[in-house]
Amino acid sequence: MRRDQILVATLSTEPQGVTRLLDWLLAQGHPIGEVAVIHTGGDVIRPAIARLDAEFAAGAYPGICYRRVPVVGRHGLVADILSEEDAGALLRTLYRTLQAARQAGLTVHLSVTGGRKTMAIYAMVAAQLLFGEHDRAWHMISVARWPGGEKSMHAGPDEAVKVVPVPVLRWADAATVAAVLETDDPWEAIRRQQAFALSEAARQRRVFLEHILTRAEREVVELLVREGLDNAGLAQRLHKSEKTIANQLTQIYQKFAAWRGFPDGSSGGRAALIAEFAPYLAARIGNSSQES
């Protein structure tokens, strides 16, 4: 069996969060070939690291490559996530780990069970930037408390452990992700994604105005958005009757609802139309003024 999947897990003081999720993934038939554990370097984490090291060294998971990925900042190993600089180092570590996995063609399973809440939040940011269609994020919920004082690395037959998928709203399509993968700087990746998103949004708005609306409807929309006129004002400026303007606006709102994909056909009316196109038309006027 080809082991082309990787578990990337953030580590807390409870190392069984890694092994129990790994056990579950393997039981579900996922061919995990590698485990990468993201961790800080404080004294409180070291016992958890030692237990994980011992577990894999003892051969509990034959055929699976285990590696630790420490969070390293400008001043060396980060002991804990206590500042913006620490959080930045964490994001870079998470981003580059997921980036390397994606570039190697591996399917990613991301665990956000262990570590501080900050680790889970930044892990999801990295996932939003880099995840492909088949990548997944998981959170493990222990329903019962640990039996006695022993926190075993593997669930016993009487322990109730539940694993739930965490939805990841990806920020970009496949083409954008390919461009994001070219940089190992997460902040640059975010800038690129934002630039792509703005460019795509502008393109779609141009398509709506120039290809979905008729020329007459476009004149109504542009005047409405730029000056906020009511029907009477629009009719006066465009030398049309108010009834004609009302009919045109009905058609415009229906097309707008379909373009936005509103399932109930509700467009949000005049306010939504203005909110959608005011920045676009203002930017277009600004660009025209600069060119002239």
Side-chain angles (χ1 to χ4, degrees), residues 21-273:
L21 179 58
L22 177 57
D23 291 342
W24 182 86
L25 288 170
L26 293 172
Q28 300 301 309
H30 294 289
I32 306 295
E34 184 176 352
V35 174
V37 177
I38 312 292
H39 66 89
T40 50
D43 291 341
V44 69
I45 296 295
R46 290 176 186 171
I49 294 173
R51 289 193 69 187
L52 274 180
D53 289 352
E55 187 75 13
F56 282 90
Y61 298 102
I64 296 180
C65 174
Y66 160 71
R67 61 188 177 93
R68 292 190 277 106
V69 185
V71 178
V72 178
R74 290 187 303 168
H75 305 293
L77 184 63
V78 173
D80 200 354
I81 309 301
L82 300 175
S83 67
E84 183 177 353
E85 183 176 330
D86 295 336
L90 170 65
L91 179 58
R92 283 191 296 273
T93 303
L94 286 160
Y95 178 89
R96 290 170 183 174
T97 302
L98 295 184
Q99 178 192 41
R102 289 297 314 281
Q103 290 174 335
L106 301 177
T107 297
V108 176
H109 296 274
L110 176 64
S111 169
V112 293
T113 299
R116 288 186 177 274
K117 291 180 180 178
T118 308
M119 298 185 82
I121 293 169
Y122 278 87
M124 293 301 291
V125 171
Q128 288 177 308
L129 283 168
L130 294 171
F131 260 27
E133 180 182 357
H134 302 294
D135 300 320
R136 295 290 181 268
W138 305 98
H139 179 62
M140 189 178 70
I141 302 172
S142 295
V143 179
R145 292 189 175 276
W146 305 110
E150 178 63 24
K151 300 179 180 180
S152 62
M153 298 292 280
H154 308 278
D158 298 328
E159 292 182 77
V161 176
K162 181 182 293 185
V163 176
V164 295
V166 181
V168 177
L169 182 61
R170 291 184 291 160
W171 289 349
D173 57 19
T176 307
V177 170
V180 167
L181 279 169
E182 293 175 357
T183 176
D184 63 358
D185 180 357
W187 310 111
E188 170 63 15
I190 292 171
R191 189 199 66 77
R192 290 187 183 187
Q193 190 283 328
Q194 291 172 335
F196 275 115
L198 289 172
S199 176
E200 177 59 17
R203 185 192 70 80
Q204 291 181 2
R205 291 175 180 129
R206 184 175 65 252
V207 167
F208 178 79
L209 291 173
E210 297 180 2
H211 299 285
I212 296 178
L213 298 181
T214 66
R215 181 176 180 179
E217 290 168 347
R218 182 166 64 252
E219 290 177 344
V220 172
V221 169
E222 291 181 350
L223 190 57
L224 169 63
V225 170
R226 286 171 177 162
E227 301 189 25
L229 300 174
D230 59 14
N231 286 14
L234 292 170
Q236 183 178 9
R237 289 286 298 277
L238 295 172
H239 308 291
K240 298 177 180 180
S241 70
E242 288 189 44
K243 182 178 180 180
T244 298
I245 293 296
N247 290 337
Q248 287 180 321
L249 284 172
T250 297
Q251 292 296 315
I252 290 167
Y253 294 148
Q254 289 175 352
K255 291 180 178 181
F256 181 56
W259 176 71
R260 288 295 304 271
F262 295 138
D264 58 359
S266 174
S267 67
R270 187 180 299 257
L273 197 68

Side-chain angles (χ1 to χ4, degrees), residues 283-292:
R284 197 168 71 176
I285 292 174
N287 292 337
S288 299
S289 300
Q290 291 177 4
E291 292 174 1
S292 60

